[in-house]
Amino acid sequence: MGSDAVDDHLENQGRRRFLTATTAVVGAVGVGFVAVPFIKSWNPSAKAKLAGAPVTADISALAEGQRLVFEWRGQPIWIVKRTKQILDLLPSLDPRLRDPKSANADQQPDYVLKGDYHFRSIKPQISVLVGICTHLGCAPEMVAEIKPEPFDPDWKGGYFCPCHKSRYDMSGRVFDGVPAPFNLLVPPHHYADDNTIVIGVDPGAAKTGAA
């Protein structure tokens, strides 16, 4: 099989994994982390999706250690409520990461780095990520339990892509020495209120009424 054919085959595998991730709940992973039903508070038309219409996410029922999966622009959006233990461990991972301070501005809006850069979020406990591996577009698995894993004996929780073994921490920051070149993306988003996240609209745009 030629190299182009291999690349096409791997990409097709990634797309199939991606479609699975966007239409089903990711299974329960780790102690204290459970899956909740796939939720879309607002289901825009196909035309609206193509135009990148925002999606409203109700997180009022999101408990600590849970993840919600939404869809925006055909991409799975993960909203995770992280535990205090996870937040406390994130700074210790910096030496193992390719871009611990998220210096590449194309990977997240600047406002998610204005607090503690380890969190990559507007609110420390709530993480919002695009759930697509930055290597070949596969769907990483959330492996949130803090315990030794076959792929990492010093695992502190995070995301593992089984396609080519790329790893990310619970802020979506990529480990050094794996195939994935970049951190997981953080989509534009803002809080309409304490229990509502609007995916696809920056805070500044929301204040001016722009979508």
Side-chain angles (χ1 to χ4, degrees):
M1 184 180 293
S3 59
D4 290 342
V6 171
D7 289 344
D8 290 343
H9 175 67
L10 292 175
E11 184 173 354
N12 288 336
Q13 282 186 325
R15 292 295 177 265
R16 284 195 293 272
R17 289 178 181 272
F18 161 71
L19 290 172
T20 300
T22 59
T23 56
V25 177
V26 178
V29 286
V31 176
F33 276 76
V34 296
V36 293
F38 181 88
I39 296 174
K40 286 184 286 186
S41 299
W42 175 56
N43 187 14
S45 66
K47 184 177 180 180
K49 287 181 181 179
L50 290 174
V55 173
T56 300
D58 181 357
I59 63 169
S60 58
L62 183 62
E64 188 175 85
Q66 289 184 331
R67 169 173 60 173
L68 296 179
V69 181
F70 292 81
E71 183 180 349
W72 173 68
R73 289 187 172 180
Q75 304 170 100
I77 304 298
W78 298 342
I79 301 179
V80 177
K81 192 168 187 178
R82 296 175 288 199
T83 64
K84 183 179 184 301
Q85 184 181 20
I86 288 290
L87 295 178
D88 289 345
L89 284 171
L90 286 173
S92 71
L93 294 172
D94 283 17
R96 303 182 62 194
L97 304 176
R98 178 168 294 165
D99 181 15
K101 294 185 177 181
S102 301
N104 189 328
D106 294 333
Q107 295 163 12
Q108 66 280 307
D110 60 357
Y111 48 82
V112 303
L113 301 176
K114 287 185 176 178
D116 190 324
Y117 70 83
H118 297 103
F119 303 148
R120 298 182 80 215
S121 59
I122 297 174
K123 296 185 178 182
Q125 200 170 19
I126 304 296
S127 171
V128 182
L129 297 169
V130 177
I132 300 176
C133 181
T134 59
H135 179 218
L136 288 176
C138 297
E141 299 171 352
M142 187 166 77
V143 186
E145 188 173 0
I146 302 167
K147 68 180 184 66
E149 293 288 349
F151 53 82
D152 189 335
D154 193 29
W155 187 242
K156 305 299 184 187
Y159 303 98
F160 173 69
C161 186
C163 294
H164 301 95
K165 300 183 175 13
S166 291
R167 290 168 288 147
Y168 307 85
D169 72 359
M170 288 298 293
S171 289
R173 299 180 298 169
V174 70
F175 278 68
D176 200 11
V178 302
F182 308 119
N183 296 341
L184 294 178
L185 303 183
V186 178
H189 64 282
H190 71 277
Y191 285 80
D193 55 50
D194 288 342
N195 294 316
T196 308
I197 297 176
V198 181
I199 302 160
V201 181
D202 293 315
K207 291 177 182 177
T208 61

Short mmCIF file of all heavy atoms in Angstrom, two decimals, residues 114-136:
data_model
loop_
_atom_site.label_atom_id
_atom_site.label_comp_id
_atom_site.label_asym_id
_atom_site.label_seq_id
_atom_site.Cartn_x
_atom_site.Cartn_y
_atom_site.Cartn_z
N LYS A 114 -6.07 34.29 30.41
CA LYS A 114 -5.89 35.49 31.23
C LYS A 114 -5.78 35.19 32.72
O LYS A 114 -5.21 35.96 33.47
CB LYS A 114 -7.03 36.48 30.97
CG LYS A 114 -6.90 37.15 29.61
CD LYS A 114 -7.96 38.20 29.40
CE LYS A 114 -7.75 38.93 28.06
NZ LYS A 114 -8.79 39.95 27.80
N GLY A 115 -6.32 34.06 33.14
CA GLY A 115 -6.15 33.64 34.53
C GLY A 115 -4.91 32.76 34.62
O GLY A 115 -3.85 33.10 34.11
N ASP A 116 -5.04 31.63 35.26
CA ASP A 116 -3.95 30.66 35.32
C ASP A 116 -3.88 29.92 33.99
O ASP A 116 -4.83 29.25 33.60
CB ASP A 116 -4.22 29.69 36.48
CG ASP A 116 -3.03 28.79 36.78
OD1 ASP A 116 -2.33 28.39 35.83
OD2 ASP A 116 -2.82 28.47 37.96
N TYR A 117 -2.75 30.03 33.31
CA TYR A 117 -2.65 29.45 31.96
C TYR A 117 -2.77 27.92 31.97
O TYR A 117 -3.05 27.31 30.94
CB TYR A 117 -1.33 29.86 31.30
CG TYR A 117 -0.09 29.23 31.89
CD1 TYR A 117 0.33 27.96 31.52
CD2 TYR A 117 0.69 29.93 32.82
CE1 TYR A 117 1.48 27.38 32.05
CE2 TYR A 117 1.84 29.37 33.35
CZ TYR A 117 2.23 28.09 32.97
OH TYR A 117 3.36 27.53 33.51
N HIS A 118 -2.57 27.31 33.12
CA HIS A 118 -2.67 25.85 33.19
C HIS A 118 -4.09 25.36 32.90
O HIS A 118 -4.28 24.23 32.45
CB HIS A 118 -2.27 25.35 34.59
CG HIS A 118 -0.85 25.65 34.94
ND1 HIS A 118 -0.50 26.67 35.79
CD2 HIS A 118 0.31 25.06 34.55
CE1 HIS A 118 0.81 26.70 35.92
NE2 HIS A 118 1.34 25.74 35.18
N PHE A 119 -5.08 26.21 33.15
CA PHE A 119 -6.46 25.78 33.05
C PHE A 119 -7.04 25.93 31.64
O PHE A 119 -7.95 25.21 31.26
CB PHE A 119 -7.33 26.55 34.05
CG PHE A 119 -6.89 26.41 35.48
CD1 PHE A 119 -7.07 27.45 36.38
CD2 PHE A 119 -6.26 25.25 35.92
CE1 PHE A 119 -6.66 27.33 37.70
CE2 PHE A 119 -5.84 25.12 37.23
CZ PHE A 119 -6.04 26.16 38.13
N ARG A 120 -6.56 26.92 30.87
CA ARG A 120 -7.08 27.19 29.52
C ARG A 120 -8.61 27.29 29.54
O ARG A 120 -9.31 26.69 28.73
CB ARG A 120 -6.65 26.11 28.52
CG ARG A 120 -5.17 25.97 28.31
CD ARG A 120 -4.84 24.91 27.27
NE ARG A 120 -5.01 25.39 25.91
CZ ARG A 120 -5.44 24.63 24.91
NH1 ARG A 120 -5.81 23.39 25.11
NH2 ARG A 120 -5.54 25.14 23.70
N SER A 121 -9.13 28.08 30.45
CA SER A 121 -10.59 28.17 30.59
C SER A 121 -10.98 29.50 31.21
O SER A 121 -10.18 30.14 31.89
CB SER A 121 -11.12 27.02 31.44
OG SER A 121 -10.53 27.03 32.73
N ILE A 122 -12.21 29.89 30.96
CA ILE A 122 -12.73 31.12 31.55
C ILE A 122 -12.94 30.94 33.05
O ILE A 122 -12.59 31.79 33.86
CB ILE A 122 -14.05 31.53 30.86
CG1 ILE A 122 -13.80 31.84 29.38
CG2 ILE A 122 -14.67 32.74 31.56
CD1 ILE A 122 -15.07 32.10 28.59
N LYS A 123 -13.53 29.79 33.42
CA LYS A 123 -13.70 29.41 34.82
C LYS A 123 -12.81 28.20 35.07
O LYS A 123 -12.88 27.22 34.30
CB LYS A 123 -15.16 29.09 35.13
CG LYS A 123 -16.09 30.29 34.97
CD LYS A 123 -17.50 29.95 35.40
CE LYS A 123 -18.42 31.16 35.29
NZ LYS A 123 -19.80 30.86 35.76
N PRO A 124 -11.98 28.21 36.11
CA PRO A 124 -11.01 27.14 36.30
C PRO A 124 -11.59 25.73 36.24
O PRO A 124 -11.01 24.84 35.63
CB PRO A 124 -10.43 27.44 37.68
CG PRO A 124 -10.57 28.91 37.83
CD PRO A 124 -11.86 29.27 37.14
N GLN A 125 -12.74 25.53 36.86
CA GLN A 125 -13.26 24.17 36.95
C GLN A 125 -13.83 23.66 35.64
O GLN A 125 -13.85 22.45 35.37
CB GLN A 125 -14.32 24.10 38.05
CG GLN A 125 -14.58 22.69 38.55
CD GLN A 125 -15.45 22.67 39.79
OE1 GLN A 125 -16.15 23.63 40.10
NE2 GLN A 125 -15.42 21.56 40.52
N ILE A 126 -14.30 24.55 34.77
CA ILE A 126 -14.99 24.15 33.55
C ILE A 126 -14.06 24.25 32.35
O ILE A 126 -13.58 25.32 31.99
CB ILE A 126 -16.23 25.01 33.29
CG1 ILE A 126 -17.18 24.96 34.49
CG2 ILE A 126 -16.95 24.54 32.02
CD1 ILE A 126 -17.75 23.60 34.78
N SER A 127 -13.82 23.11 31.71
CA SER A 127 -12.98 23.05 30.51
C SER A 127 -13.89 22.91 29.29
O SER A 127 -14.85 22.13 29.30
CB SER A 127 -12.04 21.85 30.59
OG SER A 127 -11.36 21.64 29.37
N VAL A 128 -13.58 23.67 28.24
CA VAL A 128 -14.33 23.59 26.98
C VAL A 128 -13.31 23.34 25.86
O VAL A 128 -12.43 24.17 25.62
CB VAL A 128 -15.11 24.89 26.70
CG1 VAL A 128 -15.92 24.76 25.41
CG2 VAL A 128 -16.03 25.24 27.87
N LEU A 129 -13.42 22.20 25.19
CA LEU A 129 -12.45 21.80 24.19
C LEU A 129 -13.14 21.24 22.95
O LEU A 129 -14.25 20.71 23.03
CB LEU A 129 -11.52 20.71 24.74
CG LEU A 129 -10.62 21.06 25.93
CD1 LEU A 129 -9.98 19.78 26.48
CD2 LEU A 129 -9.54 22.05 25.51
N VAL A 130 -12.45 21.34 21.81
CA VAL A 130 -12.86 20.63 20.60
C VAL A 130 -12.26 19.23 20.70
O VAL A 130 -11.05 19.07 20.78
CB VAL A 130 -12.35 21.33 19.32
CG1 VAL A 130 -12.73 20.52 18.09
CG2 VAL A 130 -12.93 22.75 19.23
N GLY A 131 -13.11 18.21 20.70
CA GLY A 131 -12.66 16.85 20.94
C GLY A 131 -12.14 16.13 19.72
O GLY A 131 -12.61 15.03 19.40
N ILE A 132 -11.18 16.73 19.03
CA ILE A 132 -10.58 16.13 17.84
C ILE A 132 -9.07 16.17 17.99
O ILE A 132 -8.48 17.23 18.20
CB ILE A 132 -11.00 16.87 16.56
CG1 ILE A 132 -12.52 16.84 16.38
CG2 ILE A 132 -10.32 16.26 15.34
CD1 ILE A 132 -13.01 17.65 15.19
N CYS A 133 -8.43 15.01 17.86
CA CYS A 133 -6.97 14.94 17.96
C CYS A 133 -6.34 15.79 16.87
O CYS A 133 -6.78 15.76 15.71
CB CYS A 133 -6.51 13.49 17.84
SG CYS A 133 -4.72 13.28 17.99
N THR A 134 -5.32 16.53 17.21
CA THR A 134 -4.68 17.45 16.25
C THR A 134 -3.68 16.73 15.35
O THR A 134 -3.02 17.38 14.54
CB THR A 134 -3.97 18.60 16.99
OG1 THR A 134 -2.98 18.07 17.89
CG2 THR A 134 -4.98 19.42 17.79
N HIS A 135 -3.61 15.42 15.45
CA HIS A 135 -2.73 14.66 14.57
C HIS A 135 -3.45 14.34 13.26
O HIS A 135 -3.21 14.99 12.24
CB HIS A 135 -2.26 13.38 15.26
CG HIS A 135 -1.36 12.52 14.42
ND1 HIS A 135 -1.43 11.14 14.44
CD2 HIS A 135 -0.38 12.84 13.53
CE1 HIS A 135 -0.53 10.65 13.60
NE2 HIS A 135 0.12 11.66 13.05
N LEU A 136 -4.40 13.39 13.30
CA LEU A 136 -5.12 13.01 12.09
C LEU A 136 -6.64 13.09 12.25
O LEU A 136 -7.38 12.50 11.48
CB LEU A 136 -4.72 11.60 11.65
CG LEU A 136 -3.32 11.44 11.07
CD1 LEU A 136 -3.03 9.97 10.77
CD2 LEU A 136 -3.15 12.28 9.81
#
